[in-house]
C-alpha cells in the first residue's frame, strides 16, 4: 500500500511514531535504524530529518562524529560536541544508539598512523576506547569495535594497527571495550560480506579464532553498501555469519543505482530493498537493519561513487521512494 505524503502529514506525531521501526519490532527484531550526524539535526533540513527519524527509525548511528579523527584529533585532545548532540537527541527520543567506530584505518588522525611502537599503540588504543566508550557507558547499545580489518582477498589490511600488533590488535580492542562498558554489545564490522569469496571466509575464520581465544565479541556487522540488482547473496551470507554463533546486523545499508536513474531502476530498488529486509527477517540471529542515511540528498554515495546515485529510502526532497515501500512491504 502506498500512502501519499499529504496523508502522512495529516497524521499526528503519535500516529506516525515508529512506522518501519515498529513493524521491525513486531517481527521480533530490535530496531530499524539510520545514520545521522549533528549537522543533520541543526541544518536547513532539520525539520524533515527529525520528523522522519522520529517516525521510522528506532536506532541511530553517528555517520562520522564518533570516528577517531572527530573525537581525538590530537593525542589527548578529545572533542565530543558533535557526538554528544547525536547521543542527546537519540536518548531524549528513546532511540537505541550504535557506536561507530573505535578502531579503523580510515578517518584516523595522522598522529596515530605515525606511531611506531607496539606498546605505545596498545596504550593509545586502550585509552581511546576507555575514554570514548566510558563517556557514553550505558547509553550506547552496541559498538563497532573494529571496522574493515580485511582486504578483498581475505588478508589483513596493512594498517598501523596490523603492522605493529598483528591480529592481536583486535583482541586488545575488544578486551578494552568489554572493560569500558560491560553491557554494550561488541561488534566487528566490514563491507563486501554480501557474496561468497575470500573476504567473508576470512571473517568467519577470524571470528572462530577470537572465540576460541575467549575474546569478548557479541556480533558481526555487514555494512551492505550494495549495487542495484546485486543483492541476491545477502541472505545466505548473513546465515553463514550467524553460523559463527554471533548476533548479526545489517549496519550501513544502501543500494546505489548507476546513473541515469530511471523509473524502472527505482522499481527494481523496491524489490532489492524488499529482498534485503526479508534476508534479515529470515535469519533468526539478525537483530536489526540500519540504512546509511535518510535522504539521497545527503548520501555519501554521490561523492564516493560519482557514477551512482539515489541509494536510500527518501529522495532529494524527502519524499518516500519506491525503495521505502519495498522495506515496508517486507515488514507487513
Ligand atoms: C562514510 C561517511 O558516510 C562519509 O560521510 C565519510 O566521508 C566517509 O565515511 N564504511 C563505514 C562508514 O564504515 O563509516 C563510511 O561512512 C562508509 C563506509
Amino acid at each position: 500500500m502506498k500512502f501519499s505524503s499529504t496523508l502522512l502529514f495529516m497524521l499526528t506525531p503519535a500516529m506516525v511514531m515508529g512506522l518501519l521501526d515498529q513493524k521491525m519490532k513486531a517481527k521480533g527484531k530490535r530496531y530499524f535504524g539510520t545514520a545521522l550526524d549533528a549537522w543533520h539535526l541543526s541544518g536547513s533540513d532539520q525539520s524533515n530529518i527529525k520528523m522522519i527519524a522520529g517516525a521510522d527509525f528506532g536506532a541511530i548511528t553517528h555517520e562520522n562524529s564518533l570516528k577517531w579523527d572527530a573525537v581525538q584529533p590530537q593525542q589527548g585532545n578529545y572533542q565530543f560536541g558533535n557526538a554528544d548532540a547525536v547521543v542527546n537527541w537519540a536518548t531524549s527520543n528513546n532511540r537505541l544508539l550504535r557506536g561507530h567506530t573505535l578502531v579503523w584505518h580510515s578517518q584516523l588522525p595522522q598522529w596515530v598512523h605515525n606511531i611506531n611502537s607496539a606498546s605505545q599503540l596498545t596504550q593509545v588504543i586502550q585509552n581511546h576506547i576507555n575514554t570514548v566508550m566510558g563517556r557514553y557507558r550505558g547509553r550506547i547499545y552496541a559498538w563497532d569495535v573494529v571496522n574493515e580489518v580485511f582486504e578483498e582477498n581475505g588478508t589483513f589490511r596493512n594498517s598501523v594497527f596490523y603492522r605493529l600488533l598483528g591480529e592481536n590488535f583486535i583482541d586488545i580492542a575488544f578486551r578494552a571495550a568489554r572493560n569500558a562498558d560491560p553491557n554494550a554489545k561488541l561488534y566487528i564490522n566490514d563491507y563486501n560480506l554480501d557474496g561468497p569469496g575470500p573476504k567473508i571466509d576470512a571473517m568467519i575464520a577470524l571470528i572462530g579464532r577470537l572465540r576460541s581465544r575467549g575474546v569478548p565479541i557479541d556480533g558481526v556487522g555487514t555494512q551492505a553498501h550494495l549495487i542495484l540488482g546485486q543483492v541476491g547473496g545477502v541472505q545466505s551470507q548473513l546465515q553463514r555469519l550467524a553460523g559463527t554463533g554471533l548476533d548479526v546486523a545489517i549496519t550501513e545499508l544502501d543500494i546505489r543505482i548507476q546513473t541515469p536513474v530511471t523509473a524502472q531502476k527505482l522499481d527494481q530498488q523496491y524489490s532489492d530493498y524488499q529482498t534485503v529486509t526479508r534476508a534479515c527477517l529470515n535469519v533468526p540471529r539478525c537483530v536489526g537493519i540500519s540504512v546509511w542515511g535518510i535522504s539521497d540528498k545527503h548520501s555519501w554515495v554521490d561523492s564516493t561513487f560519482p557514477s551512482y546515485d539515489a541509494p536510500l529510502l527518501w529522495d532529494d526532497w524527502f519524499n518516500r521512494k519506491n525503495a521505502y515501500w519495498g522495506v515496508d512491504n517486507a515488514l507487513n
Side-chain angles (χ1 to χ4, degrees), residues 35 37 39 62-64 67 100-101 104 106-107 144 147-148 189-191 223 225 251-252 254 292 298-301 303-304:
D37 263 328
W39 69 268
H62 298 71
E63 186 173 359
N64 286 299
K67 292 172 180 174
H100 178 76
T101 176
W104 186 28
S106 183
Q107 293 176 276
D144 294 331
N147 194 30
E148 302 182 354
N189 194 50
D190 216 319
Y191 64 98
Q223 293 181 9
H225 294 295
T251 53
E252 305 180 14
D254 49 22
W292 203 240
H298 297 149
S299 167
W300 76 305
V301 162
S303 55
T304 314

Side-chain angles (χ1 to χ4, degrees), residues 272-308:
D272 283 1
Y273 266 101
Q274 189 183 42
T275 301
V276 176
T277 305
R278 284 186 182 148
C280 180
L281 296 181
N282 290 340
V283 174
R285 293 301 299 265
C286 182
V287 300
I289 299 174
S290 302
V291 287
W292 203 240
I294 292 175
S295 159
D296 289 340
K297 180 178 179 183
H298 297 149
S299 167
W300 76 305
V301 162
D302 286 29
S303 55
T304 314
F305 306 100
S307 59
Y308 290 85

Side-chain angles (χ1 to χ4, degrees), residues 23-249:
K23 290 180 181 185
M24 192 75 172
K25 288 182 165 110
K27 295 284 184 187
K29 303 300 183 185
R30 290 208 64 163
Y31 60 84
F32 194 88
T34 191
L36 270 188
D37 263 328
W39 69 268
H40 293 104
L41 297 169
S42 60
S44 56
D45 291 317
Q46 61 172 287
S47 58
N48 277 319
I49 286 170
K50 287 175 183 165
M51 189 185 78
I52 292 170
D56 279 291
F57 295 113
I60 303 294
T61 307
H62 298 71
E63 186 173 359
N64 286 299
S65 54
L66 260 187
K67 292 172 180 174
W68 198 313
D69 64 352
V71 296
Q72 197 188 177
Q74 289 96 33
Q75 188 163 16
N77 169 13
Y78 287 93
Q79 304 285 342
F80 287 113
N82 289 329
D84 284 355
V86 175
V87 171
N88 291 339
W89 187 87
T91 307
S92 60
N93 287 279
N94 266 316
R95 307 296 135 135
L96 293 174
L97 281 149
R98 296 197 78 263
H100 178 76
T101 176
L102 294 163
V103 174
W104 186 28
H105 69 281
S106 183
Q107 293 176 276
L108 182 71
Q110 194 56 44
W111 69 267
V112 185
H113 287 288
N114 291 345
I115 293 172
N116 52 29
S117 132
S119 63
Q120 195 198 340
L121 184 60
T122 301
Q123 279 220 316
V124 161
I125 293 170
Q126 289 168 338
N127 286 340
H128 183 76
I129 290 176
N130 269 326
T131 307
V132 179
M133 280 186 79
R135 181 177 185 87
Y136 302 114
R137 188 181 295 121
R139 297 167 79 191
I140 295 192
Y141 142 78
W143 280 92
D144 294 331
V145 177
V146 302
N147 194 30
E148 302 182 354
V149 303
F150 290 115
E151 302 282 4
E152 299 317 298
N153 66 7
T155 60
F156 279 103
R157 192 183 290 280
N158 178 22
S159 66
V160 63
F161 304 112
Y162 186 71
R163 274 200 312 280
L164 294 187
L165 297 167
E167 179 174 320
N168 191 36
F169 87 85
I170 300 170
D171 302 39
I172 291 167
F174 275 96
R175 291 187 198 284
R178 184 65 96 222
N179 190 48
D181 187 349
N183 295 319
K185 298 284 184 200
L186 307 182
Y187 277 71
I188 185 167
N189 194 50
D190 216 319
Y191 64 98
N192 282 350
L193 304 177
D194 325 288
K199 192 171 190 178
I200 187 165
D201 293 349
M203 176 62 90
I204 290 168
L206 170 64
I207 292 168
R209 295 195 298 279
L210 293 172
R211 284 166 68 82
S212 71
R213 295 200 289 268
V215 175
I217 177 171
D218 304 301
V220 51
T222 174
Q223 293 181 9
H225 294 295
L226 299 167
I227 297 176
L228 192 77
Q230 301 179 25
V231 308
V234 171
Q235 185 173 320
S236 53
Q237 302 312 308
L238 208 53
Q239 193 67 63
R240 289 181 67 203
L241 293 172
T244 61
L246 298 183
D247 284 341
V248 297

